[in-house]
Amino acid sequence: MTYQLAHRRYTLPFRKPVRTAHGLWAERQGVIVRLEDEAGAIGYGEVAPISSFGTETLAEAEAALAALGDRIEPEWISQISPQLACTRHGLSEALVAAQALPAAPATGTDYLAVAALLPAGRAAIPAADEKAAAGFRDFKWKVGVGDIGDELSLLDDLLGKLPDGARLRLDANGAWDRRQAERWLDRCADRPIEYVEQPIAADVRGADDLLLGLAHDYPTPLALDESLVRDGDIDRWLDAGWPGIWIVKPTLLADPAVAIGKLAQRRMPVVFSSALETALGARTALQHAFTWPGEKRALGFGVWPLFVDRTFDGPAAAPFIRAEDLARLPSGETLWSALS
Ligand code: MG
């Protein structure tokens, strides 16, 4: 079976620039791909690389799509270089949709908790109040953005604002060096922190040993996020016996079903997370979360409304996402038409 391939780039300004340890991020760019078979069956997929996170660049993804031409065979998709994980992901997603393959059976979960995303710095404190009032009990605070002393001094104020039974996770986005990470982990050791995400950047020399050492030396669990994006990362960390949490952004993985299957088989603790993709990619990512057989931890999908153009958003952040919400997300056809 031959498929017609077409693709359209999107450039979607964020409602508010997203502040990360990599700086301010003003707009999301990516590509929607469309496959149509000879009988007229159509499927859409999303190619949403984040090169600062370790994926291919958008230009590389578009060059790979252009090189495929406008008619492709399904086998070509698995032959795309693993360095182009997001490109492979989007094409596979479109192929599965065009083939109308049945989705994996759900695990009987009707809804999953969502972690409220708190802004960096002191703004986290009023935001935590507001989110707690809205019913959130899981919170994620971006750290490693401002001065370390200022941020450390805010931690207890923030914990004091959270309702009983709430869980707080911290995300450093790889901003700390070893000394800074140790200061933070000393402070977290006797406090109720669910985990600390990516304390050390994935691409510094000796990062793996540093992360493993910190994970063994401190009681607060650590989570890998940026460390799990490149080809072979998940296999390497499984071989290394990573003792912490695994943040999975399905949109950034060439073949998320395979990667997630390996983590499920080894009964690893997994948190599913947004790559700030559109509703098209988010639906696929959330389907993986809903079919995860292990312990359900709060989703890292408290991101919407995200775009100035609401057409591309998923459901507005609420303390839960329901399985039935996925069916109400805008279709690939809707997003494709919005880009014409
Ligand atoms: Mg993260």
Side-chain angles (χ1 to χ4, degrees):
M1 179 74 86
T2 301
Y3 286 81
Q4 273 183 11
L5 167 64
H7 41 95
R8 287 179 182 166
R9 182 198 286 199
Y10 62 77
T11 298
L12 300 171
F14 293 125
R15 295 171 79 237
K16 283 182 255 171
V18 176
R19 181 183 292 274
T20 74
H22 307 293
L24 275 185
W25 191 13
E27 63 185 20
R28 185 67 162 114
Q29 287 194 305
V31 176
I32 305 287
V33 296
R34 178 186 188 274
L35 291 177
E36 179 172 356
D37 74 11
E38 291 146 17
I42 298 170
Y44 296 91
E46 179 167 356
V47 179
I50 310 178
S51 56
S52 66
F53 223 83
T55 73
E56 73 264 44
T57 63
L58 179 65
E60 287 165 341
E62 288 184 318
L65 291 168
L68 287 171
D70 56 7
R71 300 185 73 79
I72 70 165
E73 306 290 331
E75 306 77 61
W76 298 4
I77 297 173
S78 53
Q79 291 160 11
I80 294 171
S81 161
Q83 314 294 331
L84 299 165
C86 297
T87 308
R88 240 164 90 166
H89 175 103
L91 287 167
S92 304
E93 187 179 31
L95 182 66
V96 166
Q99 293 173 335
L101 297 178
T107 53
T109 307
D110 294 331
Y111 59 87
L112 293 173
V114 173
L117 205 50
L118 301 177
R122 181 163 292 281
I125 291 175
D129 250 351
E130 198 182 300
K131 297 288 187 180
F136 286 92
R137 289 299 177 267
D138 293 273
F139 300 84
K140 170 167 150 172
W141 185 32
K142 287 272 176 197
V143 290
V145 176
D147 174 76
I148 185 170
D150 292 346
E151 286 185 350
L152 278 167
S153 71
L154 287 171
L155 179 63
D156 284 336
D157 291 349
L158 178 57
L159 284 169
K161 280 287 179 192
L162 300 184
D164 286 348
R167 287 163 295 275
L168 177 65
R169 46 181 79 159
L170 308 179
D171 189 357
N173 285 115
W176 298 328
D177 60 22
R178 182 203 192 108
R179 292 254 304 271
Q180 292 170 318
E182 287 172 345
R183 268 182 81 185
W184 264 100
L185 292 170
D186 273 329
R187 184 66 63 96
C188 292
D190 51 2
R191 288 170 171 79
I193 303 299
E194 183 188 9
Y195 59 77
V196 176
E197 199 169 312
Q198 202 70 43
I200 302 284
D203 54 1
V204 300
R205 182 198 286 267
D208 288 16
D209 288 340
L210 211 46
L211 286 161
L212 280 166
L214 291 169
H216 286 294
D217 290 347
Y218 291 89
T220 304
L222 302 187
L224 301 177
D225 185 359
E226 284 89 336
S227 285
L228 300 181
V229 168
R230 290 174 178 81
D231 182 47
D233 279 346
I234 287 181
D235 288 323
R236 192 179 78 255
W237 283 106
L238 281 170
D239 289 345
W242 175 244
I245 314 285
W246 305 68
I247 309 294
V248 171
K249 292 178 159 57
T251 298
L252 302 187
L253 301 177
D255 193 341
V258 169
I260 292 165
K262 288 176 184 173
L263 294 168
Q265 197 182 7
R266 304 271 284 267
R267 298 180 184 280
M268 293 295 155
V270 165
V271 172
F272 289 90
S273 175
S274 163
L276 306 188
E277 61 280 268
T278 75
L280 176 61
R283 179 196 284 116
T284 304
L286 287 165
Q287 271 161 356
H288 285 294
F290 272 94
T291 52
W292 171 250
E295 186 195 347
K296 316 287 192 222
R297 288 176 180 259
L299 300 170
F301 275 89
V303 295
W304 296 302
L306 180 63
F307 303 116
V308 172
D309 183 347
R310 298 287 302 261
T311 312
F312 291 83
D313 273 333
F320 298 96
I321 292 181
R322 293 172 192 284
E324 67 211 49
D325 293 339
L326 302 194
R328 283 200 291 269
L329 289 171
S331 68
E333 175 69 43
T334 301
L335 302 191
W336 179 260
S337 303
L339 292 171
S340 64

